[in-house]
Amino acid sequence: MLTLKQNLSTTGSNTDWKAIFSLYLFFAYFSVLPQLILYVTDNTIFVGLRQAIVMSILWFIPVLLFPRFAKPITAVIGLLLWLTSLVSIAYFCIYGQEFSQSVIFTIFESNPAESQEFIAQYFVWWMIPVFLGHTLAGWLLWRNVKPFEIPAKKALLVSGLILIALIVYPLLKYKFIDRDPVDQVVEKLQVRFEPAVPWQLVIGYVQYREQLANMEALLKGNAQIPPLQNLQDENAELPATLVLIIGESTNRQHMSLYGYPRETTPLLDAMKDDLLVFKQVIGPRPYTIEALQQVLTFADQENPDLYMTKPSIMNMMRQAGYKSFWITNQQTMTKRNTMLTTFSKYTDKQVYLNNTRLQNSRQYDGDVLAPFAEALQDPAPRKLIVLHLLGTHMKYKYRYPDEYIHFKDNTNLAPVLGKNKVEVINSYDNAVLYNDFVVSNIIKTYEKSRQNGFLVYFSDHGEDVYEAPGYNVLGRNEASPTLPMYAVPFLLWMTPDWRAKMPEINNDVLERPYSMSHFIHTWADLAGLRFTDYEPHKSLISHEFKALPLLVGNPDDPKSLKVLPKAK
């Protein structure tokens, strides 16, 4: 074994930087390569690559402390990194995504046959040369490693500095500067390490177990909620398929269907005579989880905790005898999305399509079309199919394929907007254009199935994309609300037989101001369900409808609630 002994002086003048670089290159290779591939192929943002580069420095510590055993130490560490990096490389080659805890959830929560099928997709013939090439590159880098020795005191000092920089300082910053609670401190530290192997697998599994426990607690609580009292179904003897499409971050003011000067929804525009387009609907909160806790349950801005004590729409439809499906392109298992995954578990069958670690990753909603068509073919006479889209969620450029890059200049935009803002708006409008393709195809597929029922599409919340006065707001901020953050599309499509039962829905109904926090009453009305807790004045289509204040703000702070003055 070639050994290079360097007694480094206190000035570091004799430091063998080539040996140090070779050692770092070997450690970094296994983490940086998967992240570099993801970044270069424009599948995700730079953060993962940056963290992989930085966190690879951690492996210097055992070599510094035990320089005499540098070669076998690097071999053992390298074997661990190599094995875990194979998982990341293989998963990207098959799915074009980053391995995450969502993948672990999909494998462990599926039945054995489904898990075997999922894992089997890794093993295709062309993976063998990929594995061999990856292994050969790692072995060559290991051969080039040249161990070096430094005085014990200096080794301890450098090792301490590495630990301080990578672990101690972030912990202190999160705890005492950011003043985060302990669980958030741990979570932030995990996020720093997660892009690097083997932490990607280790942390992914730990997070999976944590979120699974949280989800099981929520499911246990839901199982204890009493059913709806005096439930009556006027369509009880009829076969029916009801479809609920939940969009994401889509502001109706960017849809040509709602008068936007750019043609962002040409397919829905062509269908407008068959659609009921509601003009003044708002989302109650500008965040997905908080909004859907109200939209899908009896909770609202004045009673935000009712989702824990009263049934959801999914519970309601199960009680009414519907077989239910949840097809989601949202992230499957993250701390933020545990509530969404819990909602999905209220249904009979789930299809999880998005296993990316970061929301800012390339993932297309077109993936829902095939499982939706399959769900339509299910022989159950009464079905509820929920589709949860990524819609137009940031970063907008990751929401559509290249063929939907249509808006490229400042046509029909405010002249005062600078180049960077125009680029962002163009990306958002391209995302709306692709969303138009997805939603319209879902409607067409449903129509062709010739099943009886209705379809509702809405977005959980909107997004301000440099629209508010001053043209400086991007995204959502509940503390500083603007109309675009809440202005959501609400579309209704019904089969002819179902439409015939609801003559009261006319053009005047389409102009009603309405908060989606009361949607469960509208859904019950559409489905023909009545029960003790049903309040007809909160149904958007009821002849007893009453316009209620459009409350926005954080209901945990009642003083922050305010009435949105204009929803149109």
Side-chain angles (χ1 to χ4, degrees):
M1 179 179 71
L2 179 63
T3 302
L4 178 64
K5 294 185 178 182
Q6 268 316 101
N7 293 317
L8 300 180
S9 66
T10 55
T11 61
S13 59
N14 296 324
T15 302
D16 190 340
W17 293 109
K18 183 177 179 181
I20 293 175
F21 179 74
S22 297
L23 186 61
Y24 172 75
L25 192 62
F26 172 70
F27 290 142
Y29 168 73
F30 300 102
S31 295
V32 171
L33 179 63
Q35 292 295 332
L36 181 63
I37 293 172
L38 287 164
Y39 180 68
V40 169
T41 55
D42 200 24
N43 272 277
T44 190
I45 56 178
F46 179 71
V47 173
L49 176 58
R50 182 191 67 197
Q51 292 306 112
I53 292 171
V54 173
M55 292 306 164
S56 296
I57 299 173
L58 186 68
W59 299 113
F60 270 100
I61 294 177
V63 178
L64 290 171
L65 296 180
F66 304 100
R68 292 180 58 188
F69 304 101
K71 203 69 175 182
I73 288 174
T74 55
V76 172
I77 294 174
L79 182 62
L80 174 64
L81 300 181
W82 168 73
L83 284 172
T84 51
S85 68
L86 283 179
V87 176
S88 299
I89 295 291
Y91 190 77
F92 174 81
C93 290
I94 299 296
Y95 296 100
Q97 293 180 340
E98 182 179 7
F99 190 88
S100 70
Q101 69 187 73
S102 296
V103 184
I104 298 173
F105 172 82
T106 302
I107 292 174
F108 280 93
E109 297 306 305
S110 302
N111 62 50
E114 291 173 334
S115 296
Q116 184 177 0
E117 179 183 351
F118 185 83
I119 296 173
Q121 292 186 67
Y122 287 113
F123 298 99
V124 291
W125 70 267
W126 54 266
M127 294 305 301
I128 296 176
V130 171
F131 289 162
L132 290 176
H134 180 56
T135 303
L136 178 61
W139 179 73
L140 291 174
L141 288 170
W142 178 76
R143 282 194 62 188
N144 197 43
V145 168
K146 299 176 180 180
F148 54 89
E149 294 183 359
I150 65 173
K153 290 184 179 180
K154 182 168 287 188
L156 286 172
L157 176 62
V158 175
S159 299
L161 290 174
I162 292 173
L163 287 175
I164 290 172
L166 298 186
I167 300 177
V168 177
Y169 171 73
L171 284 175
L172 294 176
K173 177 181 179 297
Y174 300 148
K175 181 60 180 175
F176 297 106
I177 299 178
D178 298 345
R179 298 186 180 277
D180 293 324
V182 174
D183 61 331
Q184 290 187 21
V185 171
V186 174
E187 181 185 359
K188 284 185 176 182
L189 193 63
Q190 289 177 340
V191 169
R192 288 172 60 86
F193 274 87
E194 196 174 5
V197 294
W199 314 116
Q200 196 172 59
L201 282 176
V202 174
I203 294 173
Y205 183 75
V206 170
Q207 291 176 338
Y208 154 70
R209 295 301 305 180
E210 290 176 352
Q211 304 317 323
L212 182 63
N214 294 337
M215 185 180 72
E216 288 175 344
L218 290 169
L219 288 172
K220 183 178 180 180
N222 181 259
Q224 296 173 350
I225 295 175
L228 294 167
Q229 296 180 14
N230 303 315
L231 178 65
Q232 298 179 6
D233 184 357
E234 64 184 39
N235 301 306
E237 304 302 321
L238 298 175
T241 297
L242 312 183
V243 180
L244 178 61
I245 309 174
I246 304 172
E248 166 74 57
S249 301
T250 302
N251 170 6
R252 68 166 179 264
Q253 295 176 322
H254 276 256
M255 300 173 67
S256 52
L257 184 65
Y258 282 89
Y260 187 55
R262 288 179 154 189
E263 194 177 17
T264 54
T265 54
L267 299 177
L268 289 174
D269 293 345
M271 303 169 65
K272 64 182 179 181
D273 291 341
D274 298 320
L275 295 172
L276 292 164
V277 183
F278 292 81
K279 307 294 179 59
Q280 297 196 64
V281 176
I282 69 159
R285 302 193 65 183
Y287 312 114
T288 298
I289 311 301
E290 290 78 2
L292 294 184
Q293 283 175 345
Q294 297 186 26
V295 174
L296 298 178
T297 74
F298 285 95
D300 57 28
Q301 287 290 72
E302 296 172 298
N303 305 279
D305 295 327
L306 286 182
Y307 74 93
M308 295 187 291
T309 57
K310 288 194 174 185
S312 66
I313 286 176
M314 292 73 75
N315 298 137
M316 174 196 302
M317 301 312 292
R318 174 175 286 184
Q319 186 178 343
Y322 284 77
K323 181 178 181 179
S324 52
F325 302 77
W326 187 287
I327 302 169
T328 179
N329 199 34
Q330 292 271 329
Q331 284 178 293
T332 303
M333 201 67 172
T334 66
K335 184 175 182 180
R336 276 288 294 168
N337 278 21
T338 299
M339 190 72 233
L340 294 181
T341 307
T342 303
F343 278 150
S344 76
K345 288 294 185 177
Y346 296 170
T347 63
D348 298 299
K349 185 173 181 180
Q350 305 84 32
V351 178
Y352 304 112
L353 299 168
N354 184 351
N355 293 315
T356 57
R357 185 177 63 88
L358 296 174
Q359 196 76 282
N360 288 327
S361 300
R362 196 167 292 281
Q363 179 73 17
Y364 303 138
D365 280 332
D367 290 350
V368 307
L369 297 176
F372 173 63
E374 184 178 345
L376 285 173
Q377 298 304 313
D378 189 277
R382 291 158 67 81
K383 298 188 288 288
L384 165 68
I385 305 175
V386 181
L387 301 108
H388 196 182
L389 308 180
L390 262 182
T392 56
H393 194 287
M394 286 186 181
K395 279 189 171 185
Y396 311 131
K397 71 173 185 177
Y398 292 137
R399 301 287 81 87
Y400 55 89
D402 289 345
E403 55 266 33
Y404 281 82
I405 301 176
H406 177 74
F407 301 102
K408 303 177 182 178
D409 55 31
N410 64 348
T411 301
N412 290 322
L413 299 181
V416 299
L417 292 166
K419 179 181 177 181
N420 291 338
K421 292 180 180 179
V422 168
E423 289 179 356
V424 172
I425 295 172
N426 285 338
S427 294
Y428 186 75
D429 287 347
N430 288 329
V432 175
L433 182 66
Y434 184 67
N435 186 68
D436 172 66
F437 160 76
V438 174
V439 174
S440 62
N441 269 272
I442 293 171
I443 297 173
K444 291 174 184 176
T445 302
Y446 179 39
E447 182 180 14
K448 290 177 182 178
S449 72
R450 298 186 181 280
Q451 301 187 46
N452 192 31
F454 64 87
L455 175 151
V456 171
Y457 163 69
F458 66 87
S459 183
D460 53 1
H461 54 76
E463 194 103 326
D464 196 324
V465 190
Y466 301 121
E467 295 173 69
Y471 305 104
N472 290 317
V473 179
L474 177 63
R476 295 158 274 134
N477 182 355
E478 195 164 51
S480 301
T482 65
L483 177 59
M485 299 176 190
Y486 298 90
V488 298
F490 187 102
L491 310 180
L492 173 61
W493 186 91
M494 292 184 283
T495 59
D497 288 345
W498 209 277
R499 179 71 177 88
K501 295 184 294 184
M502 298 188 174
E504 67 274 13
I505 303 180
N506 52 40
N507 289 335
D508 292 337
V509 173
L510 303 181
E511 298 290 338
R512 288 173 173 175
Y514 189 70
S515 171
M516 287 297 294
S517 62
H518 302 138
F519 175 67
I520 196 168
H521 302 280
T522 298
W523 179 267
D525 210 352
L526 287 167
L529 301 176
R530 297 293 182 270
F531 42 85
T532 300
D533 286 330
Y534 168 69
E535 299 181 71
H537 71 280
K538 292 182 179 179
S539 168
L540 181 57
I541 63 170
S542 172
H543 67 277
E544 298 182 46
F545 169 83
K546 293 181 181 178
L548 299 173
L550 303 179
L551 294 176
V552 298
N554 181 359
D556 293 330
D557 178 16
K559 293 182 179 179
S560 73
L561 295 179
K562 60 185 69 176
V563 177
L564 200 66
K566 183 180 180 182
K568 192 170 181 179

